Amino acid sequence: MTKIVVYVNTLGVDYVDNKVVVYIQMVNFSGIAKKEAGQSQEQKTFIGKAEGDSFDAAIFNLYATSPQRIVWSNVKTIVFSDAALKKESVVNQVLDVWDRY
């Protein structure tokens, strides 16, 4: 059985009703080798969403609901909503977790 791996490309952070909401755009690169070999295969993009009392909790909830392995090494963009930017503790949580892991 092949385990599907999805790579997070974009991370979105929002703050709604005293909860941190995390959105991720994921790409499945499993068809890239076939594309290079001349076989046409659609590259699939997925969107994930989770929320929690903190950024850590939201990410943990995201892992708990994803049947695929999530890899963070391809993140190119982090987008904060206005509400998240106004809540300084949310920005600090994201930066702290990002620096640590």
Side-chain angles (χ1 to χ4, degrees):
M1 184 167 106
T2 303
K3 187 106 172 154
I4 296 174
V5 178
V6 291
Y7 296 87
V8 177
N9 186 40
T10 304
L11 171 68
V13 182
D14 197 1
Y15 189 73
V16 179
D17 296 330
N18 295 320
K19 299 276 188 190
V20 177
V21 182
V22 173
Y23 300 90
I24 58 173
Q25 177 190 34
M26 302 169 282
V27 178
N28 180 351
F29 289 114
S30 64
I32 294 295
K34 292 179 182 177
K35 188 176 184 179
E36 290 178 356
Q39 298 174 359
S40 178
Q41 185 171 1
E42 183 179 339
Q43 182 177 332
K44 296 181 181 178
T45 301
F46 306 94
I47 303 296
K49 176 185 175 186
E51 64 179 50
D53 293 328
S54 66
F55 180 71
D56 281 345
I59 294 296
F60 180 78
N61 291 336
L62 187 68
Y63 281 126
T65 60
S66 176
Q68 296 92 5
R69 181 172 171 233
I70 299 173
V71 178
W72 299 89
S73 60
N74 281 24
V75 173
K76 304 289 186 250
T77 307
I78 300 175
V79 178
F80 291 91
S81 70
D82 286 338
L85 286 173
K86 289 177 183 174
K87 189 76 175 172
E88 187 176 335
S89 63
V90 171
V91 175
N92 289 338
Q93 289 173 24
V94 173
L95 296 177
D96 179 53
V97 168
W98 210 257
D99 280 344
R100 195 172 331 148
Y101 300 105

